[in-house]
Amino acid sequence: MKLRKLLSLVIMSVLILGALAFTPGAYAPVQAETEAVSASVVYNLYATDGFVKMADWAPGNPLLYIYGFIGSRSDQNLVWYDYTTNTANDTGAPAPAPTGGPVTPAEQFLAGKAQLPAPVIWAKVGDVVEIRLKNLGVHAEPSAPNDPHSIHLHGLDVDAANDGVPETSVGAVPANMCVDGSTDPGDNCTSAGGYAPGAGNVVVYMFTAETPGTSMYHCHQEADIHVQMGMYGALVVYDTNDPAGNANSTFCTGGLLNGKPCGQGPNSGTGGIYNGFRYDRDVIMLLSEIDSDYHNAEQGTYPVAPDPSNSNFGRAWNPVDYLPEYWLINGISFPNTIGVSNSAIDMAQWNVAFKGYDPLLTGSMSVTTNWSNAQWRTRGEKVLLRMINMGFETQPMHIHGYHLKVLGSDQRPWPWANRVLWGRPTPFNQGLEKNTVLIGSGETYELLLDFGQQESFSIYPTDTQTRYEPSDNTPRSNTSTTHPGIPHAGVVGDPSYIAGPTVTGAVVPLPDGTVAALDPTGTQIFPFHNHDDYKATNNGAYPGGQFTAVIPLP
Amino acid sequence: MQKKHQPVAKRNHNKRLWLAAGLVLLVSLVLVGAWQMRSQAATREAPEAAAILAAQANMPFQILIPAYMPKEVIREKVGISMTETGPGGEPMVQLVYRTKSDDTIFLKQWVPVNPEKEILAGSRPVQTVWGQGYMIAQGESLAAIWVDVGPTRVSIYTPTQKHITREEILQMANTLGPASSSQVFDFVLELPEVLAVEPAPPFEPPVNADGVQEFTLVVTPGGYDPLRIQLKQGVPVKMTFRAIGQVGCGKELLFRVSSSEVIEGRLETEAEQDVIEFTPQETGEFEFHCSHQMYRGMLTVVP
């Protein structure tokens, strides 16, 4: 009797289970959207040429000829910088998606407006990134070579066909030219024997962002020329839950973190976590150089050799004669790098056009945000420096007053940076902390800058020299009683301003050793520069070149 | 102690009970199994049809959805975005499907102005029911396919192939159809094989009035054009060799015309053209290439 009961129980349960399986709509409950979901990220880019100004440009001087990219993320307006008027121009819409075939009027508008550097491409792990590239050909200098262009995703380990190297991959995108090599005269090349093979192509590069880190993208067609000519930009991959890379990050409330919008990419003030270290903001330092001879050769203004009277080597331009005169951070040099405008660049406008590329380093020395790492909560904002060397030279980048903690390099975290000792993370004074980072061509570094390492103020005794005045070769002493405001990306009254406030009384030392009357606008300024000091010049004039500043704010 | 025997009739009764129970169990298992299979193999109305049709009102082309999607996909939760514009400023629609394990499948649809001029970098031509499509599969991560359904180009992609395979992506592409009449399903009898498309037939230059096979071989940074050439044995050939763009070693051509003969072409400048004349003597396949063998093409000589 017992056995029979047991049997029927078994049979019944099998039947019930079967019936359950048959129930319509037997789907698992729908999960809430989490922060980890993949997005489809699109950048519409155009290759073309253009003109820029170096930091020492003066009215009447020629502009520098470049090749480059112009375009935007598909959900952000295209804003481009015009070097002739020194204005940022918001087109009011994202860059148009490239159309295969002849250049459309909307695309033609972008011809000759190449930007230096190209827009930052950023995504988060798991996103599919689509970069659509069309080659508009040369426009600013119609006689320059109508070269093909490509996009090489430096450091992303894509397969060879997708690697953007014309000799080993899908071919570069040819300019919109006719079969005889001439530019389309406007009749779709019918009068010139038809289009060249591949002319007007739109090549779509697709990849999945897989590893958080910093990398770069650049044209690999005749890489020596096209990289030097300016065809490069930064590429940043955030971790899935990084506020800067994800508007739905669990660290954000209503899309905001500390009042700033999440999911806005580099230098937007929301930060993320890299190699276990939380950072409040990330700043791109994309290093490169300019040898104007290269640019003049492409433009056709390099003196024809042999001409020993010229500054060249008495022969036609040869890349082994490389001798740069300008060293750039994010496409600009000092004093523009610290937010100072001059006749070359209006930095307020520049910062609107080159979103995410501001190279001036500021941060609070005292703020401990909720976002700061609870495990090693120390005062001061933490800034992740994404250093990229896109130039041909090796650069020793030296920071004053701080040590930079190496968190990773070349898209890989450095394991020793985040060692746990005695069961506790020991974030500082171990691992690899450097004041001079030697970065070779093609390398990238993730470096943590802790603004808590310095005070925002310093004491300058009256009547001591704090500044050297380049205009008349005389020292300046502390006699002023006002502070120079160093607004973030604002205009400093004296463009030759370089280091050390010209003021006294920023703080008042009291007999008991404390200080009083701290003015929030008074601040220390630390240089951060290339320690091959001749590279801290603009064509030989110091200060200039790869030179920016670190300003700890209260 | 005397052993107690059970009566024979009782033992037989027990045996029969076991047998009956086993039979019932077997039958019910088979029934449940059949039920399960039927329930899995049933098509159903597309749960996202209403949402798609609502979006359709704003689109000049028919939005397509895959009739087949893996069981993991939660069709009900489709996201529809029309913010991105396609080439020429034309509309573009993007459907985003999530799976139970938080994987994502994107479908992007637009009407290309010149379909042959929009190229998916690094993709390989594959066979689909719509004709030739293009597929990209990067290791274990990205899988994407482009297919043209009439004038509409559909791009289906997923960031990772951990749970969704390239065969499933192909099957989704093969079963694209309008949402209005869609009976959708999540089973397959057999997934389609990803088959590479046969290369296009080689270029056969016409024989001109002088009885010469005349054509131009162009080398560009993207390679030779034409890439594959078919010539007739014994008929004279006049080939003009030229370059467009910066081709590096492509300026030097090593053109093999038989197992024993290689004709060299050389261009000093971009404007230059090199005329090569010969008569193919030997049938067979001969590879031609630049001096560094970076650019390669194939010559076939037929009788």
Side-chain angles (χ1 to χ4, degrees):
Chain A
M1 213 45 200
K2 262 185 176 172
L3 193 70
R4 207 181 283 180
K5 264 190 180 168
L6 198 71
L7 267 175
S8 55
L9 203 70
V10 169
I11 291 167
M12 281 303 285
S13 42
V14 167
L15 285 173
I16 288 167
L17 279 174
L20 273 178
F22 185 60
T23 312
Y27 282 102
V30 171
Q31 282 182 352
E33 290 243 312
T34 65
E35 76 287 350
V37 293
S38 302
S40 176
V41 175
V42 176
Y43 284 84
N44 292 313
L45 296 186
Y46 296 86
T48 183
D49 62 350
F51 284 101
V52 298
K53 293 178 196 156
M54 294 292 101
D56 62 353
W57 183 87
N61 290 357
L63 275 65
L64 184 81
Y65 185 59
I66 62 161
Y67 300 153
F69 298 106
I70 181 169
S72 78
R73 207 174 159 95
S74 69
D75 59 359
Q76 283 178 357
N77 283 1
L78 167 60
V79 186
W80 58 281
Y81 191 82
D82 185 344
Y83 277 87
T84 54
T85 59
N86 278 349
T87 51
N89 299 279
D90 190 338
T91 58
T99 304
V103 175
T104 67
E107 293 169 349
Q108 189 58 36
F109 174 74
L110 305 175
K113 297 185 172 75
Q115 303 287 293
L116 179 75
V120 184
I121 290 179
W122 60 270
K124 66 176 192 298
V125 169
D127 288 354
V128 178
V129 182
E130 228 177 286
I131 307 170
R132 306 199 190 108
L133 176 66
K134 187 172 180 179
N135 185 353
L136 301 177
V138 291
H139 181 80
E141 185 60 78
S143 60
N146 235 341
D147 282 345
H149 297 296
S150 73
I151 286 179
H152 165 63
L153 302 161
H154 182 117
L156 292 192
D157 300 342
V158 295
D159 60 11
N162 222 1
D163 199 32
V165 181
E167 293 86 353
T168 57
S169 311
V170 171
V173 191
N176 222 40
M177 64 182 183
C178 311
V179 73
D180 65 354
S182 67
T183 304
D184 180 7
D187 60 356
N188 296 350
C189 289
T190 45
S191 61
Y195 279 111
N201 277 358
V202 174
V203 170
V204 179
Y205 298 88
M206 271 179 114
F207 65 92
T208 301
E210 290 190 282
T211 315
T214 309
S215 43
M216 65 200 92
Y217 68 101
H218 62 85
C219 177
H220 220 295
Q221 171 75 25
E222 302 173 277
D224 70 312
I225 299 175
H226 289 211
V227 168
Q228 168 60 208
M229 288 299 286
M231 307 194 79
Y232 48 79
L235 198 161
V236 173
V237 175
Y238 289 96
D239 216 341
T240 48
N241 199 23
D242 285 353
N246 187 349
N248 299 318
S249 163
T250 53
F251 294 110
C252 306
T253 311
L256 296 175
L257 177 65
N258 297 326
K260 291 181 177 133
C262 297
Q264 294 294 309
N267 216 337
S268 58
T270 51
I273 302 177
Y274 186 77
N275 196 3
F277 287 87
R278 293 188 183 181
Y279 54 91
D280 297 288
R281 191 151 44 85
D282 53 334
V283 172
I284 292 169
M285 284 185 89
L286 172 61
L287 309 176
S288 60
E289 311 112 33
I290 296 282
D291 178 345
S292 57
D293 286 346
Y294 243 119
H295 297 251
N296 296 340
E298 286 295 295
Q299 195 187 358
T301 55
Y302 185 77
V304 176
D307 182 0
S309 67
N310 270 298
S311 62
N312 64 33
F313 291 77
R315 57 174 171 179
W317 169 245
N318 186 325
V320 300
D321 298 336
Y322 187 57
L323 261 186
E325 310 100 337
Y326 297 96
W327 289 266
L328 312 179
I329 304 174
N330 299 344
I332 52 178
S333 304
F334 184 90
N336 303 135
T337 44
I338 63 163
V340 172
S341 297
N342 54 18
S343 54
I345 297 176
D346 182 321
M347 284 308 293
Q349 296 285 311
W350 187 93
N351 270 306
V352 174
F354 291 92
K355 201 178 166 199
Y357 273 129
D358 186 356
L360 178 64
L361 290 151
T362 60
S364 167
M365 60 132 191
S366 59
V367 166
T368 304
T369 61
N370 295 331
W371 164 241
S372 291
N373 199 329
Q375 289 174 305
W376 48 276
R377 190 180 294 255
T378 57
R379 65 162 205 174
E381 280 191 280
K382 313 289 183 280
V383 172
L384 186 73
L385 260 177
R386 301 181 179 277
M387 196 182 281
I388 306 166
N389 190 353
M390 197 63 248
F392 299 162
E393 297 180 332
T394 299
Q395 310 297 12
M397 293 303 293
H398 171 58
I399 188 168
H400 291 213
Y402 295 83
H403 271 68
L404 299 166
K405 190 174 180 64
V406 178
L407 296 190
S409 177
D410 289 358
Q411 304 83 42
R412 297 292 184 270
W414 193 58
W416 292 97
N418 197 11
R419 202 149 61 109
V420 174
L421 282 180
W422 312 113
R424 291 188 60 195
T426 48
F428 295 112
N429 300 320
Q430 63 110 34
L432 188 61
E433 296 185 354
K434 294 184 70 69
N435 67 50
T436 307
V437 178
L438 189 67
I439 183 167
S441 178
E443 271 192 300
T444 66
Y445 275 98
E446 281 85 13
L447 306 162
L448 193 72
L449 170 56
D450 176 11
F451 273 96
Q453 288 181 31
Q454 285 280 3
E455 302 295 322
S456 71
F457 56 85
S458 189
I459 299 163
Y460 295 82
T462 308
D463 290 335
T464 56
Q465 180 197 341
T466 61
R467 188 173 72 98
Y468 172 79
E469 175 54 58
S471 60
D472 58 7
N473 276 347
T474 54
R476 289 284 183 274
S477 295
N478 287 333
T479 52
S480 170
T481 54
T482 58
H483 311 299
I486 309 293
H488 188 85
V491 180
V492 177
D494 181 357
S496 60
Y497 183 88
I498 170 164
T502 58
V503 300
T504 187
V507 291
V508 182
L510 298 178
D512 63 358
T514 60
V515 290
L518 293 183
D519 187 323
T521 58
T523 179
Q524 301 202 83
I525 298 179
F526 296 96
F528 188 175
H529 64 100
N530 192 322
H531 211 280
D532 282 350
D533 283 312
Y534 74 97
K535 297 169 181 171
T537 68
N538 295 326
N539 199 12
Y542 181 92
Q546 284 168 343
F547 195 125
T548 184
V550 184
I551 303 177
L553 300 171
Chain B
M1 218 170 107
Q2 199 188 354
K3 203 174 178 184
K4 199 179 168 185
H5 288 279
Q6 274 195 334
V8 175
K10 176 108 179 180
R11 268 187 288 171
N12 282 348
H13 176 75
N14 271 357
K15 226 183 228 172
R16 273 206 299 276
L17 196 72
W18 270 110
L19 214 67
L23 207 69
V24 167
L25 190 70
L26 203 71
V27 167
S28 50
L29 276 175
V30 167
L31 276 174
V32 167
W35 247 347
Q36 275 282 24
M37 277 183 67
R38 261 193 47 194
S39 72
Q40 274 186 8
T43 59
R44 56 192 176 114
E45 285 289 324
E48 72 271 43
I52 302 282
L53 292 172
Q56 182 68 66
N58 306 312
M59 296 299 290
F61 58 85
Q62 176 93 52
I63 304 176
L64 304 173
I65 61 169
Y68 164 77
M69 285 195 114
K71 204 170 180 174
E72 277 265 287
V73 177
I74 311 162
R75 281 185 180 264
E76 290 81 347
K77 284 204 66 185
V78 68
I80 306 172
S81 153
M82 290 181 289
T83 47
E84 194 189 333
T85 54
E90 292 294 314
M92 182 180 256
V93 67
Q94 181 177 278
L95 310 181
V96 186
Y97 288 95
R98 309 280 184 205
T99 73
K100 291 172 207 168
S101 49
D102 252 344
D103 283 319
T104 312
I105 299 166
F106 298 96
L107 270 92
K108 209 173 263 188
Q109 306 177 22
W110 71 100
V111 179
V113 180
N114 290 301
E116 76 289 352
K117 291 217 159 279
E118 288 184 31
I119 295 158
L120 182 58
S123 63
R124 306 281 190 280
V126 290
Q127 291 174 14
T128 77
V129 300
W130 312 105
Q132 181 172 312
Y134 288 91
M135 181 173 269
I136 185 172
Q138 286 173 353
E140 296 299 303
S141 68
L142 175 73
I145 191 169
W146 279 15
V147 285
D148 288 346
V149 183
T152 308
R153 177 158 291 176
V154 184
S155 168
I156 308 177
Y157 52 101
T158 184
T160 163
Q161 296 170 60
K162 233 183 295 171
H163 304 111
I164 297 164
T165 65
R166 58 193 81 172
E167 287 80 12
E168 286 173 323
I169 294 276
L170 175 59
Q171 176 72 342
M172 284 182 242
N174 279 344
T175 61
L176 285 166
S180 54
S181 62
S182 242
Q183 292 288 315
V184 299
F185 54 94
D186 53 25
F187 61 90
V188 279
L189 298 177
E190 200 179 343
L191 277 171
E193 240 185 292
V194 175
L195 291 174
V197 169
E198 286 290 310
F203 170 72
E204 291 176 57
V207 180
N208 67 17
D210 302 330
V212 175
Q213 309 184 72
E214 189 176 353
F215 68 102
T216 302
L217 177 69
V218 184
V219 58
T220 73
Y224 292 111
D225 185 80
L227 194 60
R228 287 149 48 85
I229 305 159
Q230 183 169 309
L231 299 174
K232 288 190 189 71
Q233 187 186 19
V235 182
V237 173
K238 184 182 176 189
M239 180 178 86
T240 307
F241 172 56
R242 54 166 309 200
I244 294 179
Q246 303 280 341
V247 294
C249 65
K251 286 179 184 167
E252 287 172 43
L253 173 70
L254 299 173
F255 198 81
R256 180 172 286 280
V257 294
S258 74
S259 50
S260 57
E261 192 187 353
V262 176
I263 299 177
E264 289 186 24
R266 193 184 169 81
L267 305 171
E268 296 298 335
T269 67
E270 270 188 63
E272 208 172 297
Q273 303 196 347
D274 195 355
V275 177
I276 295 169
E277 290 180 86
F278 64 98
T279 303
Q281 304 292 351
E282 186 183 332
T283 61
E285 289 201 326
F286 309 104
E287 191 189 271
F288 58 90
H289 47 78
C290 74
S291 53
H292 294 172
Q293 301 204 16
M294 253 166 27
Y295 300 112
R296 296 165 198 233
M298 185 64 80
L299 166 68
T300 311
V301 180
V302 294

